Amino acid sequence: MAPGQGQGPWGLPPDSLEKRELDAQLLRRIGLGGAFMAPVLGELSPGGAGAEAGLQRGDRVLSVDGQPVVDAAALRERIRASGQGGVEGERVAPMLWRVERAGQVLSLELRPKVVRDGGQLLGRIEAQIGAPPELLTVSHGPLESLWLGARRTWEVSALTLNTFGRMLIGEASLKNLSGPITIADYAGQSARMGPAQYLSFLALVSVSLAVLNLLPLPMLDGGHLMYYLFEGLSGRPVSEWWQQQLQRAGVLIMLLMMTLALSNDMARLLGLH
């Protein structure tokens, strides 16, 4: 069986995780990354280390220096790590690659180029790595689609409220709160994956923002609904003095949330999270 293929049971005891660990980086910490991508090469830049070594589009990488390559992520990490301790602009020591091409196994020597990225020295071969995963399209009728859409909207809304509540009582990390920088980054990643993934991401963000907009804060629509509820139960509107005090408190809460979200964005950008 080829590496990275097949199926089997795996167990992860939830008791080994602390409640505060349930944040956006949980999957990465427990070893679950993105969708599996085969270590197959795509476009190669002319004059790059990959093209100079004789690699071609469609080559499947089997091993590097005798170590089997499981997937595209492991191959990218191996290439990046090769630049550590090197000299910027120079080539690293030769690496022996075994690749499969048209049913034949070839051995090639490759020397990645050392580049500086974010203050770190990394290896680059200037080639696209990873074949996109196979996608299965599932179609539903109009009525079933409406029902599934409504159910998915309810699930996302409940998850958003649950996560926000856990953050308030300290059971979830405040790192879950993201700002415009992270949203723009994820939007770009989803757009590169295709229209379906991009539209799904936009729908997820829209539902999350709609739920947050209904929170009982004076600056949001949820705050106005609370005013209407109070007026309907008491028969009189909220006094001007109380409206001013609640407005100030709402502005302060919104500023704190925006500051925290931007701080999390910058920490992710700098690799601190």
Side-chain angles (χ1 to χ4, degrees), residues 59-84:
D59 287 350
R60 183 185 184 98
V61 183
L62 303 177
S63 66
V64 175
D65 289 338
Q67 297 295 325
V69 175
V70 179
D71 59 4
L75 178 58
R76 285 193 292 264
E77 188 63 29
R78 184 68 183 272
I79 295 172
R80 290 166 59 90
S82 67
Q84 297 178 0

Side-chain angles (χ1 to χ4, degrees), residues 89-179:
E90 300 292 336
R91 298 294 179 92
V92 304
M95 304 170 66
L96 180 61
W97 285 37
R98 295 181 67 252
V99 301
E100 182 181 356
R101 179 187 304 167
Q104 296 182 343
V105 178
L106 306 176
S107 296
L108 302 172
E109 280 195 354
L110 186 143
R111 301 183 63 189
K113 183 178 180 180
V114 180
V115 299
R116 185 174 297 276
D117 186 4
Q120 295 182 336
L121 293 177
L122 306 174
R124 291 278 174 82
I125 67 170
E126 299 184 50
Q128 181 183 357
I129 299 175
E134 296 182 3
L135 299 179
L136 177 63
T137 302
V138 180
S139 300
H140 301 283
L143 294 180
E144 188 177 6
S145 297
L146 288 175
W147 164 247
L148 293 174
R151 188 175 69 178
R152 180 57 178 164
T153 301
W154 173 259
E155 292 174 351
V156 173
S157 301
L159 178 62
T160 301
L161 286 176
N162 183 46
T163 302
F164 194 78
R166 287 176 176 272
M167 286 192 292
L168 288 179
I169 62 178
E171 289 189 354
S173 173
L174 294 176
K175 297 176 183 179
N176 287 291
L177 195 61
S178 301

Side-chain angles (χ1 to χ4, degrees), residues 217-219 223-224 226-228 230-231 236-251:
L217 295 177
M219 295 289 295
H224 293 287
M226 294 299 295
Y227 289 158
Y228 299 149
F230 175 82
E231 185 174 353
R236 56 187 176 84
V238 180
S239 66
E240 184 176 351
W241 184 86
W242 270 110
Q243 289 188 26
Q244 292 177 353
Q245 303 307 314
L246 292 173
Q247 199 79 3
R248 293 191 181 97
V251 171

